[in-house]
Amino acid sequence: MTTSTTQPTDEPTAQPAEPALPAPGTVTMYSTAWCGYCRRLRTQLDSEGIGYQVIDIEEQPETAAFVEQVNGGNRTVPTVVYPDGSAATNPSLQDVKAALGR
């Protein structure tokens, strides 16, 4: 009979990096170049004068872990982060405006 034991290591466990919070009145949008819903939301945010930062999870693959964490293991975009730290998946413009108090 063999027994094995797990030895503790000094290596940190990989955890999704928490995103930096967007400035008040703005959002951070996790996106991809091919996402039509992302393009639509960017156009709507532009038309309303709502500022945003886009993070492409394919160009910055390390950011995909956060998107997966928020979306039950799925890489669903757009994933939007609000200044209060909450996140929404594929929100409507009205959802974004409500979350920003507009």
Side-chain angles (χ1 to χ4, degrees):
M1 175 178 192
T2 2
T3 57
S4 65
T5 58
T6 304
Q7 298 296 319
T9 66
D10 292 332
E11 294 180 32
T13 304
Q15 295 292 324
E18 291 297 318
L21 296 180
T26 69
V27 298
T28 299
M29 182 190 317
Y30 290 84
S31 181
T32 61
W34 50 264
C35 173
Y37 295 112
C38 301
R39 281 193 301 274
R40 181 189 67 200
L41 184 57
R42 284 195 305 266
T43 299
Q44 292 172 334
L45 295 173
D46 287 340
S47 71
E48 291 291 321
I50 297 172
Y52 58 92
Q53 174 188 12
V54 174
I55 298 174
D56 187 314
I57 66 170
E58 292 179 331
E59 290 179 6
Q60 299 178 47
E62 68 280 4
T63 62
F66 171 74
V67 172
E68 291 172 351
Q69 176 188 13
V70 171
N71 294 299
N74 298 309
R75 290 187 180 188
T76 307
V77 291
T79 295
V80 174
V81 177
Y82 299 109
D84 67 1
S86 63
T89 305
N90 196 18
S92 68
L93 177 61
Q94 295 306 318
D95 294 338
V96 173
K97 289 170 67 174
L100 295 176
R102 290 179 154 214

